[in-house]
Amino acid sequence: MDPSQDNPIVRFKAFFWALALFALFGIALGVIALLEKKEPKTLEDQAAVIRYENRAKVEAAQSANLTYKEIEAGKTVQVKPQDVFAHLGKELAATKPTAVEKPEQVIPGSATAKANEAAAANAAPVVIVETDPNAPIDPAVMDAGKAQYALCMACHGPEGAGVPGLAPPLANSEWVVGPVENPIRIVLRGLEGPISVNGVDYNLPLAMAPLAHLTDDQVAATLTYVRNSFGNKASAVTADQVKAYRGEVGRPALKVSDLKAPK
Ligand code: HEC
């Protein structure tokens, strides 16, 4: 056979040489890749290396700071940081005096509220100076009260006629024009539960919240206005009268049974 290009044996040999070269090239590439891998090349890789180093340092520092406790005789375990915080939190909650400076900060039903209730029950009854029901009403107080009434109006309506399902009327209400302590205490403590106003029974879904943020003067002016508007006629309310009931602020909402019978 002619050992030329056309000889199939020669061509077969060439094929194997090519195959061997190709394999060699592959191995060389693999070796290069392996060597290359040791040095992080991209910025991301370099940053990752630093991150891993830092993490290892942080973990080492954390485990060095872990405290130990003996869970049973001779058996000591490491306390996890979160356990330390939980323990610290409990300690703080138990030792820190509760800062209850304002009566409205007292949580109903709490120990402080109960202590206040007991103190209030033993306290001397509030004595107020009655206002002459025939004395003329100061127009400036009426104006101030009218402005302040915007707050009550949201529930009791612009003409004090009440809003169905929301609040009973203030017009022709025995609770408004009756003993002055009733409306004062209602504003300072709020009111809940069934109530009858001018012969109509109300059992509203929402109670009246206390509006104790109003000053004595504001409550006095608002109630003077309400007691002398919408067809109502009653004595003016003074700031001193309101002040006399301030001590009740923060106690639970009143019920009709807590009020003085109007008639
Ligand atoms: C968020 C709504 C709301 C606001 C604001 C509000 N009240 Fe009331 N008020 C009520 C509800 C509700 C009742 C009835 C409570 C119950 O169900 O026992 C009520 C009852 C009363 C009563 C006794 C019942 C009656 O109709 O006479 C008086 C007095 C009263 N409010 C005065 C006031 C005054 C004064 C203001 C403004 C300083 C005021 N309220 C603001 C909702 C409100």
Side-chain angles (χ1 to χ4, degrees):
M1 248 201 232
D2 178 21
S4 73
Q5 289 174 340
D6 296 326
N7 186 338
I9 303 292
V10 171
R11 296 180 94 189
F12 201 58
K13 238 164 93 184
F15 172 72
F16 271 102
W17 269 114
L19 206 65
L21 265 174
F22 187 74
L24 262 175
F25 188 64
I27 290 165
L29 268 182
V31 170
I32 290 167
L34 268 176
L35 291 174
E36 281 284 288
K37 228 182 173 179
K38 283 185 184 148
E39 275 301 306
K41 274 289 167 273
T42 65
L43 280 174
E44 287 82 1
D45 287 346
Q46 284 168 17
V49 170
I50 296 166
R51 266 208 315 276
Y52 282 120
E53 282 171 7
N54 283 345
R55 187 180 161 171
K57 277 186 209 159
V58 168
E59 279 173 354
Q62 275 178 348
S63 54
N65 276 322
L66 287 179
T67 52
Y68 295 83
K69 71 174 173 192
E70 201 169 32
I71 49 166
E72 54 187 68
K75 194 170 179 193
T76 307
V77 293
Q78 267 192 337
V79 183
K80 284 182 249 130
Q82 57 264 43
D83 287 355
V84 177
F85 289 129
H87 175 72
L88 206 67
K90 266 186 216 144
E91 289 275 298
L92 280 175
T95 53
K96 192 169 168 265
T98 323
V100 180
E101 274 131 28
K102 294 181 188 159
E104 56 266 38
Q105 288 178 325
V106 176
I107 299 160
S110 67
T112 312
K114 279 178 193 146
N116 288 353
E117 281 285 300
N122 295 328
V126 176
V127 183
I128 54 164
V129 180
E130 296 289 341
T131 318
D132 177 3
N134 298 314
I137 311 283
D138 184 348
V141 172
M142 283 293 277
D143 282 349
K146 188 176 184 176
Q148 207 66 59
Y149 180 72
L151 179 63
C152 324
M153 191 162 77
C155 296
H156 290 284
E159 293 302 318
V163 174
L166 187 62
L170 298 180
N172 299 316
S173 163
E174 61 270 41
W175 304 104
V176 171
V177 296
V180 73
E181 63 166 80
N182 286 342
I184 294 175
R185 294 176 73 217
I186 290 171
V187 171
L188 292 181
R189 278 177 62 181
L191 184 71
E192 65 180 17
I195 186 169
S196 164
V197 181
N198 196 17
V200 180
D201 291 332
Y202 296 86
N203 199 353
L204 296 156
L206 291 175
M208 174 169 155
L211 300 166
H213 65 282
L214 298 173
T215 65
D216 295 340
D217 280 315
Q218 286 172 327
V219 175
T222 312
L223 292 179
T224 300
Y225 172 77
V226 169
R227 275 161 72 91
N228 291 281
S229 303
F230 327 127
N232 295 337
K233 181 83 194 79
S235 62
V237 177
T238 66
D240 280 342
Q241 289 172 334
V242 179
K243 195 178 174 185
Y245 293 97
R246 271 287 159 193
E248 291 195 21
V249 172
R251 292 175 59 191
L254 294 162
K255 295 191 173 60
V256 168
S257 55
D258 299 319
L259 298 171
K260 197 167 182 176
K263 276 170 212 158

